[in-house]
Amino acid sequence: MSEKKRIPVVPSRLKLLNEEGTEGVLLGVRCRRCGEHFFGSVVFCQNCTSGDLGPVELSNHGTLYSYTIVRRPPDGWRGNVPYILGQVELPEGPHVLSEVVDCPLEGLKVGMALELALLVGGEDAEGNEIVVYKWRQAKP
Amino acid sequence: MAVKPQREVVVLGVGLHPFGRFPEKDLTQLAQQAVVEALKDASVGWNTVQIAYFGHVYYQGMSLGEATLRGLGLTGIPIVNVENACSSGSTAFWQAYWGIATGLYDLALAFGAEKVPKGPVAVTAEDSPERLIGADHMMAGYALRARRYMEEYNAPSEALAQVSVKAHDNAALNPYAQYNKTFTLAEVLESRPIADPLTLYQCCPTSEGGSAAVLCARDAIKNFAPDNGRHVTVAAAALATGTYSVRGADHPALNPYRKEASDQAYEMSELGPEDVDIVQVHDAATIGEVQQLEALGIVPRGEGWVATQTGRTRISGDIPTNTDGGLLAMGHPFGASGIRMIHEIVTQLRGEAGPRQVKDPKVGLAHCSGAGDVTTIHILKK
Ligand SMILES: [Zn+2]
């Protein structure tokens, strides 16, 4: 039997930098024509439709654009209930939606600084652990 | 607008199957009842209909439009199944309109129906990574918009909840609505939290129901139906998807403002937001109604919540909105909702809305949005 591995939830959005999956970087593309950045993969630039795109590593921090507390998730969610869903704006522009962890509800504030947190969010059919990009309050 | 209508199109008749829960019926029965009602309302024989478009979303078998209409008699006409998320029904209506306006057909049927499963609605398939990330949750999406809106414009959560109070007041006057119960502001705010700041009564229910409309070229009415003076003119039919928006308040994840669709609709009808006497907008959650009234230019940006709080959107107000209860209280069977809005506007313009009749409306606007940044806008006039 092959050994269980830690794998990124969507390889075009997250690259893991160690086997434990505790370090990683968010991935995206940058349009060489208009300069816009996109999280994950796009085939053509969503802004100017240029096909002249290059891969980039995006920041591992951003600010909280909006948030909600999900009380009843749809099927397929394996984490805690309720959970905080944050919409985080990266310095490059793209918004990244994911759970905000280790944050008391009363500490949530639009505009607050957040940083990337990598946590196991589930398993695939082969038993590999799927690492999901999440957010936590940035250390001051 | 690249294509121009070649002739005027009218709605001859509309029909509904009540919205609610009907475990004893399948989807085709809901749809068929609405179609039969619409044909009757139009005084049109089924065997004269030349094309049919059926809006629905959830997979409950193949070729459901054909399965529905089979029961009325096999006439050999083209039947097209349409999926465009919550805008499926209004997209079917849009296709029927343009089929006639461009001269391909004289008489068309648009109908929609749905049996939405219970539980939270998600856009992606169950094995999508979005589910594991926790980002795919329709009401959470509305909640994110609501939270940011409240921050941007200092809107209190009471103002959003007031949309639901009004919706239920209207639905209580509508025998086809899923809910006929009214709620106080406190009851809306204290109902079960779904995705903060949205509570249960600020989110549309999961619903079943059907709707239908019969459309005809004005110059061909005499070939199909008696002139009973109840025909309503379709002044505009616009469908658009998202364009790339800049960051900040225009971010599409916050604000699916689709100005393209309203610009098209106003240009086509030669009418403006100031001419609209009655509005149906996509209020899947309370924040939806507030933001869409702004997107349509009916109220200034950032002031939608004020219009609600001051009663302007009530049936007695100057911009009566979602007069039949809207998605929030009439219910939201996805494929049926778009044509349900058309049904309400036609009923109101005819002066047949009974206890929820708006005083002498001349122009009505129906706005539907759907996942994938779909926006449909129809303007109807007397
Ligand atoms: Zn570009």
Side-chain angles (χ1 to χ4, degrees):
Chain A
M1 248 180 83
S2 65
E3 201 146 313
K4 282 187 198 176
K5 287 186 297 197
R6 291 206 164 163
I7 56 171
V9 61
V10 180
S12 63
R13 297 183 194 167
L14 173 65
K15 181 170 73 179
L16 299 180
L17 300 175
N18 59 3
E19 277 185 22
E20 301 77 42
T22 52
E23 281 174 48
V25 61
L26 295 178
L27 303 177
V29 294
R30 179 181 176 277
C31 174
R32 292 193 184 98
R33 188 158 91 186
C34 74
E36 282 291 286
H37 288 79
F38 303 93
F39 177 49
S41 65
V42 291
V43 183
F44 293 96
C45 174
Q46 296 186 348
N47 181 37
C48 75
T49 73
S50 167
D52 188 12
L53 306 172
V56 285
E57 296 189 349
L58 298 168
S59 297
N60 63 356
H61 59 90
T63 55
L64 189 61
Y65 185 82
S66 192
Y67 64 90
T68 183
I69 300 150
V70 178
R71 308 280 174 168
R72 188 177 165 197
D75 294 342
W77 170 251
R78 317 261 185 87
N80 295 324
V81 178
Y83 68 93
I84 300 165
L85 177 62
Q87 181 173 351
V88 176
E89 185 168 310
L90 303 181
E92 294 86 358
H95 285 205
V96 177
L97 277 172
S98 194
E99 185 184 19
V100 179
V101 297
D102 304 334
C103 182
L105 297 186
E106 57 278 12
L108 283 168
K109 200 167 167 22
V110 167
M112 71 192 286
L114 296 166
E115 63 184 26
L116 189 65
L118 298 180
L119 294 164
V120 172
E123 293 193 340
D124 71 5
E126 284 82 50
N128 297 311
E129 290 180 313
I130 300 171
V131 177
V132 178
Y133 51 87
K134 301 192 183 212
W135 297 103
R136 67 162 59 100
Q137 270 181 283
K139 288 179 200 85
Chain B
M1 205 175 19
V3 182
K4 289 215 181 323
Q6 301 299 304
R7 53 184 179 163
E8 202 165 69
V9 178
V10 301
V11 178
L12 287 184
V14 286
L16 283 181
H17 181 289
F19 287 14
R21 281 283 174 199
F22 308 96
E24 73 288 358
K25 293 186 181 179
D26 72 15
L27 183 77
T28 66
Q29 291 170 293
L30 303 178
Q32 202 182 84
Q33 185 172 324
V35 169
V36 169
E37 294 292 323
L39 292 169
K40 206 191 299 173
D41 186 50
S43 300
V44 158
W46 161 241
N47 58 358
T48 62
V49 173
Q50 297 168 340
I51 186 159
Y53 298 94
F54 178 42
H56 67 104
V57 177
Y58 284 94
Y59 181 79
Q60 283 147 355
M62 292 186 192
S63 297
L64 288 167
E66 287 83 344
T68 298
L69 297 174
R70 173 173 287 271
L72 303 183
L74 298 168
T75 61
I77 63 165
I79 299 169
V80 183
N81 292 278
V82 180
E83 193 270 298
N84 231 356
C86 301
S87 276
S88 297
S90 46
T91 302
F93 186 91
W94 178 85
Q95 288 181 290
Y97 169 87
W98 282 104
I100 296 170
T102 52
L104 288 174
Y105 304 99
D106 291 330
L107 185 69
L109 169 71
F111 66 117
E114 206 75 59
K115 285 172 85 78
V116 180
K118 288 194 169 151
V121 170
V123 173
T124 58
E126 207 173 301
D127 57 356
S128 151
E130 302 304 336
R131 301 290 190 100
L132 214 54
I133 295 164
D136 181 9
H137 187 298
M138 197 172 271
M139 282 306 144
Y142 277 103
L144 291 168
R145 284 165 53 184
R147 171 68 59 199
R148 184 72 191 194
Y149 181 90
M150 288 163 63
E151 287 279 330
E152 295 260 354
Y153 301 116
N154 287 316
S157 54
E158 289 78 13
L160 297 184
Q162 189 61 43
V163 174
S164 169
V165 173
K166 185 260 302 167
H168 286 88
D169 285 350
N170 293 351
L173 305 173
N174 181 359
Y176 288 92
Q178 184 162 357
Y179 292 114
N180 292 121
K181 194 172 175 323
T182 60
F183 296 106
T184 64
L185 189 62
E187 285 172 323
V188 172
L189 286 166
E190 285 157 21
S191 60
R192 180 159 60 85
I194 297 294
D196 306 38
L198 300 178
T199 56
L200 182 66
Y201 299 145
Q202 296 190 64
C203 303
C204 67
T206 54
S207 312
E208 302 175 14
S211 59
V214 178
L215 296 86
C216 189
R218 180 175 292 287
D219 56 26
I221 298 174
K222 57 185 182 305
N223 303 332
F224 301 101
D227 186 3
N228 56 16
R230 293 165 74 242
H231 306 150
V232 166
T233 304
V234 184
L239 167 63
T241 57
T243 52
Y244 189 74
S245 311
V246 294
R247 311 188 238 302
D250 280 327
H251 195 282
L254 166 72
N255 250 339
Y257 283 96
R258 291 281 70 97
K259 204 170 170 307
E260 299 83 0
S262 54
D263 284 351
Q264 264 183 50
Y266 290 138
E267 184 194 337
M268 190 175 166
S269 62
E270 298 179 346
L271 295 165
E274 65 284 357
D275 299 311
V276 175
D277 301 314
I278 172 174
V279 201
Q280 310 294 314
V281 294
H282 197 84
D283 59 334
T286 47
I287 182 67
E289 175 171 310
V290 169
Q291 290 190 309
Q292 298 305 349
L293 285 174
E294 296 177 10
L296 292 165
I298 290 171
V299 296
R301 189 87 178 253
E303 292 180 22
W305 67 273
V306 182
T308 300
Q309 259 199 338
T310 52
R312 293 183 64 195
T313 55
R314 286 192 167 273
I315 288 173
S316 56
D318 65 321
I319 39 174
T321 305
N322 292 327
T323 47
D324 58 1
L327 307 175
L328 285 169
M330 171 88 186
H332 185 24
F334 296 179
S337 284
I339 300 171
R340 181 275 298 168
M341 295 179 178
I342 305 277
H343 180 284
E344 175 66 4
I345 287 179
V346 167
T347 306
Q348 290 278 357
L349 293 180
R350 286 171 171 175
E352 296 174 358
R356 57 177 204 285
Q357 181 64 48
V358 168
K359 192 165 175 291
D360 197 25
K362 304 230 169 8
V363 174
L365 184 151
H367 160 283
C368 217
S369 50
D373 247 352
V374 180
T375 296
T376 43
I377 296 178
H378 291 98
I379 297 177
L380 296 111
K381 64 180 183 187
K382 253 181 163 165

